[in-house]
Amino acid sequence: MDRIFKDHMSELYWLAFLLTGDRERSVQAYTGALNSEAPAPGLQKFMLTWARRLVIVAALSTIRRQLRESELRTRPATKRELDGLARAASVDRAGFTKQELEDALLAMDVFVRCAVILTVFEGLRVEEAAGLLGTDENTVKSAQARGATEMIWRLAGGVRPESPRFFSVGQKAMAACG
């Protein structure tokens, strides 16, 4: 298990940083996950997935209070946001830099950001994300759609959602996630 954390230190730390939005808490989450119990022998091919899940759980535990407060500020997504998320999710990979994605994600409110990271970037089912975030599936779906729209808006340089450029950038952004 230590080898997995050493070989993938940068990506695991970045995952913790994106979730917490705080460098100190990211280190705390990373080391907390590193010190967790390793999975049973015979599960070697799942080690990186397991390590990522440990980092997620550790990172979320460091921001639990902020998640609750942020969740209360999260309003339901509009039908347009939900439809846009479904359309944009099937586009091929595009060329946003790591820094552009990081800036767009870190500008989001913490609950929305975590919902997007877990469901879009990490590819977790909404049910899994809801369990990790300690909330219901509808709240995660709303946060996911709202966050994807916000991320696209930021990557488009503040272009209004009605603009054709917004949808074009949205396709690139969602492709970069998957």
Side-chain angles (χ1 to χ4, degrees), residues 14 94-103 155 176:
W14 194 53
F96 288 106
T97 67
K98 179 179 175 180
Q99 190 61 54
E100 288 172 323
L101 291 171
E102 182 176 300
D103 290 346
L155 291 170

Side-chain angles (χ1 to χ4, degrees), residues 59 118 123 140:
L118 295 177
V140 171

Side-chain angles (χ1 to χ4, degrees), residues 61-75:
S61 72
T62 70
I63 59 168
R64 193 60 60 192
R65 184 179 52 80
Q66 292 91 334
L67 278 171
R68 288 300 129 247
E69 292 168 359
S70 176
E71 181 182 0
L72 294 174
R73 293 187 297 269
T74 303
R75 68 176 175 75

Side-chain angles (χ1 to χ4, degrees), residues 41-121:
L43 297 177
Q44 296 300 320
K45 65 183 180 178
F46 299 106
M47 295 293 273
L48 181 56
T49 300
W50 183 266
R52 293 183 76 79
R53 187 60 60 99
L54 290 174
V55 167
I56 289 167
V57 169
L60 294 177
S61 72
T62 70
I63 59 168
R64 193 60 60 192
R65 184 179 52 80
Q66 292 91 334
L67 278 171
R68 288 300 129 247
E69 292 168 359
S70 176
E71 181 182 0
L72 294 174
R73 293 187 297 269
T74 303
R75 68 176 175 75
T78 64
K79 179 172 178 0
R80 181 181 178 142
E81 289 168 328
L82 292 168
D83 291 345
L85 178 63
R87 278 196 322 270
S90 62
V91 182
D92 291 329
R93 193 171 255 315
F96 288 106
T97 67
K98 179 179 175 180
Q99 190 61 54
E100 288 172 323
L101 291 171
E102 182 176 300
D103 290 346
L105 286 165
L106 291 177
M108 294 179 194
D109 202 2
V110 66
F111 184 81
V112 171
R113 180 179 69 232
C114 289
V116 168
I117 291 168
L118 295 177
T119 60
V120 177
F121 285 85

Side-chain angles (χ1 to χ4, degrees), residues 7 9 30 35-36 40 43 56 61 85 94 107 109 126 143 148 152 167 178:
D7 291 349
M9 181 185 328
Y30 176 84
N35 294 325
S36 297
L43 297 177
I56 289 167
S61 72
L85 178 63
D109 202 2
V126 170
I152 292 166
F167 185 68

